[in-house]
Amino acid sequence: MKTESVDFLIIGSGVAGLRAAIELAPFGSVVVVTKDRPSESSTEYAQGGIAAVISDEDTVGIHLEDTLKAGDGLCREDAVRTLVEEGTDRIMELIDWGAEFDREGMKLSLTLEAAHSRRRILHAQGDSTGRELERVLLNKVRSLPSVTKYPYAITTDLIIRGNECHGAYVLRNGEIIALLAKSTLLATGGAGQIFSRTTNPLVATGDGMAIAFRAGACLEDMEFVQFHPTSLYSPTAPQFLLSESMRGEGAVLLNIHRERFMSAYHAMEELAPRDVVSRAIISEMVKTNSRHVYLDLRHLGKDFIKKRFPGIFATCLRYDVDITEDLIPVSPAAHYIMGGVKTNLDGETNLRGLYAAGEVACTGVHGANRLASNSLLEGLVYGARAGIAASRTTVIPVGGTELETLVYAIPDGDEIKRILRKTMWEKVGIIRCARSLDEATQVLKTYNEIMNRTYLKRHELELKNMLTVARLIIEASLRRQGSVGAHYRSDFKDRGDRWQEHIMLDRENFFLSSQEAI
Ligand code: SIN
């Protein structure tokens, strides 16, 4: 097997990975491995914006409070404090590097989203905030000679010696290479693709969470999956996010009888926390026997809508929905995983030399439910922190391989993926119970062998990772016998006595193997 050595290895090229690369570049050679083109990440598709304390009417304390409240009692307060305290500097630095956020005159334009008590969401080109961040960070990284990108290269597994990470095995140009590194940072994003309805791009297959689990890392809070209330619902259109900032600007929800309903569910109506809005929509859909509700923003006026949401306007028009004139059919979709690879505030995991930042990680910043638009901020703040910490690593990587040499294929992969996504949506979605979770376990156990084999094709590796992450989410959801934040159990509607505990899963306490009793 070919071996390459690098000082620092970053897996993933969204906001967290790129921001870390910028910190690491002065200290040695950096390789950024990414399984698609470098800009293809959840960051690229983030619409609404990035939250930060900018306005005179806002304070770190208020942003902290809003985040803790959304997290429903399970945030790590020090992680949130770090996020909001360091967030403003990270944004200002981005503006210095060329980020063009929307302005009203000279002032940065700030919008509102659910559960924010102040206008604090910065946005770019109306509804293409993530694309602007990715553009600026990729430009910055291009100017750093010590950073090399390996696009279209997928990580199969981490190289682990004892309790240390020494790099990763990466499938590149059809062969596996051992990429040895003093420190390895996972910044692979989320896993929304394990659900049949999701706002996430195709690359969001939970790779980092699954390879970290296989390596012996500890995962935390995996039961907390956020469902975004409004994704376009049309049998002929792809799933597409309709940003919460539309409701922030005054859009309202209507059931199919064209009646507003949110006031019956929460005092904050359309701007209630996402889990509340998603469950309210599901409830209206059941009551009216419909597969969707409507989002209505026609009253905001054509000119405003086109200027404020140009990307959403153009995309919906392509599928025959004119958002300035038509009601928009919407339904919830899996959007973000609050849980992930457990880290401290410097992105360190329980394995020396292995770091994680962004959606793949669980710093505790989001608790049981993420405050809207805190995730790009998390990528910036904790990507930078993980980069700084990783630059100080003392791990000395050692070569050699324990990779399984037998390579398998999954002939019916597309069908298994379809079953997985449908099962997760129907049985592990917005409303769960012991019975639905047990049923999901039984379905997915059938594919246990897939999770323990070696593959040399991207779609097969992705399926292996998706199945692994799905099992982790189901297991954590079974273990949390109560309803907190985004995790709602119809058989345990109260929080439960032990609601403050975090659910940790690792290879020692959750056994996923082909020997598992079926
Ligand atoms: C949105 O624009 O609604 C998504 C923002 C987020 O999830 O933070």
Side-chain angles (χ1 to χ4, degrees):
M1 176 185 299
K2 201 165 127 192
T3 299
E4 286 181 28
S5 288
V6 59
D7 290 313
F8 310 112
L9 172 61
I10 296 175
I11 305 170
S13 56
V15 55
L18 296 177
R19 188 60 192 78
I22 294 166
E23 291 302 330
L24 284 165
F27 299 98
S29 54
V30 183
V31 165
V32 180
V33 167
T34 182
K35 69 179 176 182
D36 211 287
R37 60 192 169 93
S39 61
E40 190 63 19
S41 61
S42 293
T43 299
E44 176 80 359
Y45 297 93
Q47 295 177 356
I50 180 162
V53 178
I54 304 282
S55 139
D56 294 342
E57 280 139 44
D58 201 3
T59 65
V60 161
I62 304 174
H63 191 181
L64 175 91
E65 268 314 304
D66 288 349
T67 305
L68 295 177
K69 212 161 148 193
D72 206 11
L74 281 178
C75 294
R76 270 187 65 183
E77 188 166 335
D78 53 350
V80 181
R81 190 171 291 285
T82 301
L83 177 84
V84 295
E85 279 180 357
E86 297 182 9
T88 312
D89 286 352
R90 294 284 82 80
I91 300 265
M92 291 307 158
E93 178 181 74
L94 215 56
I95 293 174
D96 279 351
W97 294 340
E100 291 183 18
F101 291 109
D102 296 334
R103 290 179 184 265
E104 278 154 24
M106 294 300 285
K107 278 180 113 178
L108 287 162
S109 163
L110 301 170
T111 191
L112 195 65
E113 282 181 335
H116 286 271
S117 58
R118 296 288 185 280
R119 290 183 88 88
R120 65 165 73 94
I121 323 288
L122 293 140
H123 44 92
Q125 292 144 43
D127 50 13
S128 298
T129 315
R131 185 162 307 147
E132 179 62 1
L133 257 67
E134 193 71 18
R135 179 189 73 78
V136 170
L137 291 169
L138 275 172
N139 270 346
K140 179 78 183 162
V141 163
R142 262 183 223 118
S143 72
L144 304 169
S146 57
V147 183
T148 308
K149 291 193 279 305
Y150 283 4
Y152 304 104
I154 181 161
T155 302
T156 65
D157 271 300
L158 297 170
I159 302 173
I160 298 295
R161 312 257 177 262
N163 195 38
E164 288 186 348
C165 178
H166 289 197
Y169 299 108
V170 173
L171 178 62
R172 187 168 183 240
N173 300 328
E175 66 168 334
I176 295 208
I177 51 173
L179 253 173
L180 296 178
K182 293 191 283 190
S183 64
T184 303
L185 171 74
L186 294 171
T188 47
Q193 284 296 326
I194 64 174
F195 293 91
S196 56
R197 282 198 60 73
T198 180
T199 62
N200 288 191
L202 289 173
V203 289
T205 52
D207 304 329
M209 295 169 191
I211 63 174
F213 178 76
R214 289 199 288 274
C218 181
L219 283 92
E220 184 177 43
D221 289 349
M222 291 297 287
E223 69 277 28
F224 295 125
V225 177
Q226 183 172 78
F227 295 88
H228 197 290
T230 55
S231 98
L232 181 64
Y233 180 83
S234 158
T236 54
Q239 294 178 35
F240 176 66
L241 175 70
L242 293 164
S243 176
E244 191 155 284
S245 51
M246 298 170 96
R247 279 174 283 132
E249 298 291 358
V252 295
L253 289 163
L254 307 176
N255 64 21
I256 54 155
H257 304 307
R258 286 145 171 81
E259 297 154 346
R260 282 189 73 177
F261 56 84
M262 273 314 301
S263 62
Y265 295 89
H266 199 279
M268 291 176 83
E269 303 191 342
E270 273 77 3
L271 290 182
R274 281 185 184 171
D275 59 308
V276 176
V277 182
S278 291
R279 281 196 299 275
I281 291 176
I282 295 291
S283 164
E284 290 298 309
M285 282 162 52
V286 170
K287 264 193 220 160
T288 59
N289 195 18
S290 160
R291 288 174 175 267
H292 63 81
V293 295
Y294 290 115
L295 186 68
D296 183 9
L297 67 160
R298 298 169 300 177
H299 53 284
L300 300 182
K302 267 187 195 220
D303 293 345
F304 175 79
I305 294 171
K306 284 187 191 168
K307 183 161 180 275
R308 181 65 184 83
F309 302 110
I312 297 173
F313 171 72
T315 304
C316 288
L317 205 54
R318 234 178 285 142
Y319 299 101
D320 245 7
V321 180
D322 180 344
I323 65 171
T324 66
E325 288 182 0
D326 302 328
L327 295 178
I328 315 167
V330 293
S331 86
H335 186 56
Y336 189 90
I337 299 204
M338 276 66 78
V341 182
K342 181 173 170 49
T343 71
N344 65 13
L345 302 194
D346 290 323
E348 289 167 335
T349 69
N350 58 314
L351 299 173
R352 273 191 73 224
L354 181 67
Y355 300 78
E359 189 173 351
V360 68
C362 180
T363 54
V365 96
H366 305 305
N369 203 2
R370 179 178 61 92
L371 184 67
S373 287
N374 265 354
S375 48
L376 291 176
L377 191 69
E378 182 196 22
L380 279 183
V381 168
Y382 283 98
R385 291 181 75 89
I388 293 166
S391 72
R392 300 190 189 124
T393 179
T394 52
V395 168
I396 301 166
V398 179
T401 174
E402 302 87 34
L403 248 202
E404 165 77 71
T405 46
L406 262 182
V407 174
Y408 292 84
I410 314 175
D412 43 359
D414 285 350
E415 178 59 7
I416 297 173
K417 196 191 283 187
R418 192 191 63 76
I419 293 170
L420 160 73
R421 301 179 78 220
K422 184 170 183 298
T423 302
M424 290 301 286
W425 179 250
E426 288 174 358
K427 304 197 181 292
V428 196
I430 298 169
I431 298 173
R432 306 147 176 191
C433 65
R435 186 159 152 211
S436 70
L437 294 166
D438 283 337
E439 284 168 2
T441 307
Q442 292 312 318
V443 173
L444 299 192
K445 265 187 182 174
T446 334
Y447 307 118
N448 268 1
E449 252 177 9
I450 293 177
M451 289 182 272
N452 294 290
R453 289 181 162 175
T454 301
Y455 305 95
L456 283 185
K457 296 213 167 92
R458 171 174 157 180
H459 66 275
E460 290 167 342
L461 287 161
E462 286 179 338
L463 180 56
K464 166 178 168 170
N465 293 335
M466 289 165 78
L467 285 164
T468 305
V469 173
R471 289 297 305 277
L472 292 167
I473 292 174
I474 297 169
E475 181 63 21
S477 304
L478 274 165
R479 291 190 192 188
R480 183 170 292 281
Q481 297 188 339
S483 295
V484 186
H487 172 71
Y488 186 80
R489 292 266 311 244
S490 56
D491 50 349
F492 290 104
K493 291 188 179 142
D494 296 333
R495 295 167 88 76
D497 296 341
R498 301 169 64 183
W499 70 270
Q500 278 171 310
E501 287 175 15
H502 290 269
I503 299 199
M504 314 273 190
L505 295 175
D506 62 23
R507 273 187 332 204
E508 303 301 312
N509 71 10
F510 182 48
F511 195 53
L512 264 182
S513 87
S514 39
Q515 276 84 50
E516 184 184 45
I518 296 186

